[in-house]
Amino acid sequence: MHTAATSSPLSATATLPANLLELRQIRVQFEELVAVNDVNLGLGPGHLLGLIGPNGAGKTTLLRAAAGLQPLTRGKVIIHDTELTPRNETILRHVGFTPDTPPVYEDLTVRQFLRFIAKGYDVIGPDVDERIDFWLEKVWLTEKANAKIRQLSRGMRQRIGIARTLLPNPSIILLDEPAAGLDPAGRVQFRQLLSSLREQGKALIVSSHILADMSEYCSHIGIMAAGKLVQLGTVAQIANHGSGERCRYTVVLARAVPNLTEMIESIEGVSGVSVDTDRITLEYVPDRAAAAELLAVLVAKKLPVASLTANAPGLEEAYLRTGIRQVD
């Protein structure tokens, strides 16, 4: 994934050349509400785009549009160099989509459900169970193969949804909040699975609110707000974008202090203050001399400072710098 040579690496307006999936000027509008506003992006083999943004930003609608499930107001979805139209929907065999709550048949066992899915995709023959066993192992459900789906936890159902998506072996994989129901160990295994899919040359888009994980498995990041793709680039480009003039610091106190927010906000040059009991995050000038000055001011105010740390640029910091507010 890359932008045209004349555009910024963080431009969200240039059409991005790719040979597996391209979204060109995608717009989805519901009466007066523009859910997706003229989005352009492209995915090549081994690209994994992490899509982040607040609730209501348009991430799910964009994924559904790319999967051929959401009618477009305008724009084009290009799959393997072929435009998706009602006349050639068979090209959707290259696309796998997992919604945030995957639909399942609760009265079936895991294996029965996957056999049903396989038949729907014309995956038939003596190797069907072998393929099912392969993906059950990849999503850590081998021991639950003969369990009724109704007996399984949300996290396990999430894994079944991923197995269902991967079973037909699509080259383009779209996952909407796939890690939401996974425990910490499951999230580690999920990151390993995504890395494996990238190595196989798949193209992926993953929407998630778990930003800390995304830097480990994504090749690119897109930040959405109000239907627009406001930033787009590699993980490093997004993490470092706009970090030159300000740095986010974390201050830990030995004990809680009353009226702490007002006290910190009164310090000249400080902005973006957030206080959680005895922990403060704030923005200040990003160099050692400035950090020393800030520490001196905090001590002069008789605050019991246990530590002051300059946070390394990361996706969470980059997202906070955008100033995008949560939409509920």
Side-chain angles (χ1 to χ4, degrees):
M1 177 188 294
H2 53 87
T3 57
T6 56
S7 61
S8 161
L10 294 167
S11 169
T13 58
T15 299
L16 304 179
N19 59 6
L20 290 184
L21 174 68
E22 290 183 64
L23 305 182
R24 299 179 182 174
Q25 290 295 110
I26 297 297
R27 187 179 186 90
V28 178
Q29 187 166 347
F30 304 100
E31 296 182 353
E32 300 301 318
L33 174 63
V34 179
V36 178
N37 193 348
D38 299 339
V39 167
N40 296 284
L41 61 84
L43 291 171
H47 287 160
L48 198 166
L49 173 66
L51 204 57
I52 62 179
N55 296 333
K59 304 186 299 298
T60 294
T61 304
L62 181 63
L63 288 176
R64 286 177 54 82
L69 299 173
Q70 175 60 56
L72 306 180
T73 303
R74 70 169 179 241
K76 295 180 180 180
V77 176
I78 311 294
I79 298 169
H80 286 236
D81 296 324
T82 301
E83 181 182 355
L84 174 62
T85 68
R87 292 185 177 182
N88 64 357
E89 289 183 339
T90 56
I91 62 171
L92 286 172
R93 71 182 183 276
H94 297 295
V95 181
F97 172 61
T98 302
D100 59 349
T101 305
V104 292
Y105 293 112
E106 294 190 341
D107 290 332
L108 298 181
T109 66
V110 174
R111 183 177 298 280
Q112 288 170 339
F113 175 68
L114 292 178
R115 281 176 179 164
F116 171 77
I117 295 299
K119 189 173 182 180
Y121 281 95
D122 291 326
V123 178
I124 56 178
D127 63 340
V128 170
D129 278 334
E130 183 178 345
R131 185 184 291 206
I132 289 173
D133 287 338
F134 175 83
W135 287 115
L136 286 178
E137 181 182 358
K138 289 296 184 182
V139 299
W140 330 287
L141 283 176
T142 299
E143 295 181 356
K144 300 295 182 179
N146 297 313
K148 288 286 184 70
I149 294 178
R150 67 165 66 251
Q151 301 170 346
L152 303 182
S153 67
R154 183 192 174 193
M156 290 182 182
R157 293 180 184 217
Q158 202 80 11
R159 297 180 190 183
I160 294 171
I162 295 171
R164 173 230 178 278
T165 297
L166 299 177
L167 186 61
N169 196 29
S171 58
I172 300 164
I173 300 167
L174 312 172
L175 305 176
D176 192 6
E177 293 292 343
L182 301 182
D183 58 25
R187 283 166 52 189
V188 171
Q189 294 168 324
F190 178 65
R191 294 198 298 269
Q192 295 171 348
L193 173 61
L194 292 179
S195 297
S196 172
L197 292 171
R198 284 187 60 191
E199 291 172 359
Q200 295 173 35
K202 310 287 188 185
L204 303 97
I205 303 179
V206 177
S207 167
S208 179
H209 285 97
I210 308 175
L211 274 60
D213 289 354
M214 298 183 84
S215 59
E216 297 187 27
Y217 60 74
C218 292
S219 63
H220 295 75
I221 295 293
I223 300 179
M224 285 194 74
K228 295 182 179 181
L229 199 56
V230 296
Q231 288 187 18
L232 178 64
T234 66
V235 172
Q237 287 170 340
I238 295 297
N240 289 286
H241 180 59
S243 63
E245 298 180 359
R246 306 289 285 176
C247 177
R248 200 157 186 86
Y249 292 86
T250 298
V251 182
V252 178
L253 304 182
R255 63 178 185 279
V257 174
N259 303 316
L260 188 56
T261 301
E262 294 81 356
M263 190 182 304
I264 300 300
E265 288 180 341
S266 69
I267 299 174
E268 185 177 356
V270 166
S271 62
V273 177
S274 176
V275 174
D276 182 8
T277 312
D278 58 356
R279 181 179 295 268
I280 309 160
T281 57
L282 56 86
E283 290 187 355
Y284 198 64
V285 182
D287 61 58
R288 292 186 178 182
E293 292 175 3
L294 176 61
L295 178 60
V297 172
L298 295 173
V299 172
K301 288 181 175 291
K302 301 189 183 304
L303 293 176
V305 178
S307 68
L308 185 150
T309 306
N311 301 336
L315 294 182
E316 292 182 352
E317 300 299 321
Y319 184 75
L320 290 171
R321 286 195 299 270
T322 65
I324 297 172
R325 293 174 177 258
Q326 180 68 43
V327 179
D328 294 313

